[in-house]
Amino acid sequence: MTDGVRLVVFGRQGAGKGTQCARLAAHYGVPHISTGDMLRAAVRDGTEFGLKAKEYMDAGKLLPDDIMVGLVAERLAQHDARGGWLLDGYPRTPGQAEALAAVSGDAPFTLAINLDVPESVVIERISSRRVCASDSSHIYSVQQPPAVAGVCDRCGGEVVQRADDTAEAVRERLDTYQRQTAPLIAWFEERDKLATVDGNDAPDVVTASLIATVDERHHL
Ligand code: AMP
């Protein structure tokens, strides 16, 4: 496949990006590239890079642009990303967006989706979010727990609260979003790449609306 979708999904933490991006990537048959999941895997592996990343993540701060740009450029150069991709949680600053436009030169992203959920709702969602400690893309919540308490349905890993889902880190991350990521809305809009999708609805309704938005833009 050479003409798959190239999508960017951003939004406040807790907007449902992880869940929705996994569904969208499966629907369009492209790799789901989540920079948060990549960083959490590095933390779990205990690499030097992972230890450094953890300090930023636990504090609710963004890693420096140059590090993230290199990480994503390397990932997009891999074979499975040649026919399209879905980036979840990247870019998160206008600088990262400029870099993405540069590395994806002849195959630029087609659409940036702002998965929009109000701050008051995401605060509530994050406090009840749980993830698998072995693979943070396996997501649960207090309302939707795994079948066996504390054990991931998909891989048997331990289901825990994310280290950066504490009240203090969440406040910091929302503030970081407002200061560093919200300016992307104007950046994408100026380039005629922005679509805003209401994420404050039942997961299946949000998925359907995301697919309709992408299909319309891609004339699928
Ligand atoms: P997420 O799972 O997308 O909420 O990401 C968790 C944490 O990883 C963020 O709070 C940041 O510390 C870090 N992170 C993920 N993606 C990026 C990015 N594109 N730029 C900088 N830091 C990032």
Side-chain angles (χ1 to χ4, degrees):
M1 185 176 72
T2 54
D3 58 348
V5 297
R6 289 177 172 77
L7 301 171
V8 163
V9 179
F10 69 104
R12 291 188 174 86
Q13 47 278 32
K17 289 191 299 290
T19 304
Q20 296 297 339
C21 287
R23 292 180 179 188
L24 271 191
H27 180 84
Y28 291 108
V30 294
H32 171 199
I33 301 174
S34 156
T35 46
D37 285 343
M38 287 164 75
L39 295 174
R40 280 184 289 276
V43 171
R44 210 171 43 240
D45 291 346
T47 61
E48 200 178 320
F49 170 66
L51 291 177
K52 207 164 203 168
K54 187 173 178 348
E55 287 175 26
Y56 287 95
M57 295 166 80
D58 285 355
K61 296 196 187 311
L62 295 183
L63 274 77
D65 277 359
D66 55 341
I67 294 181
M68 295 308 299
V69 167
L71 191 74
V72 170
E74 217 170 86
R75 180 65 188 86
L76 291 182
Q78 286 175 21
H79 190 77
D80 67 337
R82 289 178 63 162
W85 36 257
L86 186 156
L87 275 173
D88 165 3
Y90 184 97
R92 250 172 156 107
T93 65
Q96 292 181 8
E98 298 279 359
L100 176 63
V103 298
S104 59
D106 16 327
F109 63 91
T110 35
L111 191 62
I113 300 175
N114 175 14
L115 189 57
D116 194 28
V117 175
E119 199 170 292
S120 56
V121 176
V122 299
I123 289 174
E124 212 175 294
R125 282 193 190 173
I126 293 173
S127 66
S128 69
R129 170 160 66 188
R130 300 291 181 269
V131 298
C132 173
S134 304
D135 184 336
S136 61
S137 70
H138 301 165
I139 303 166
Y140 301 91
S141 69
V142 171
Q143 294 79 18
Q144 287 178 310
V148 176
V151 182
C152 180
D153 293 340
R154 294 166 62 186
C155 71
E158 189 188 0
V159 174
V160 298
Q161 185 163 33
R162 261 171 59 170
D164 59 352
D165 277 351
T166 60
E168 197 184 331
V170 167
R171 258 196 311 277
E172 180 66 35
R173 284 156 72 208
L174 284 171
D175 186 54
T176 300
Y177 176 83
Q178 218 49 45
R179 275 185 296 112
Q180 297 184 269
T181 306
L184 278 178
I185 295 174
W187 195 95
F188 290 130
E189 203 159 32
E190 280 159 19
R191 287 155 184 83
D192 200 22
K193 299 277 193 188
L194 182 74
T196 298
V197 169
D198 182 5
N200 191 16
D201 212 326
D204 289 350
V205 176
V206 177
T207 307
S209 140
L210 283 165
I211 289 173
T213 302
V214 175
D215 285 357
E216 188 185 298
R217 185 65 72 115
H218 279 264
H219 309 293
L220 293 175

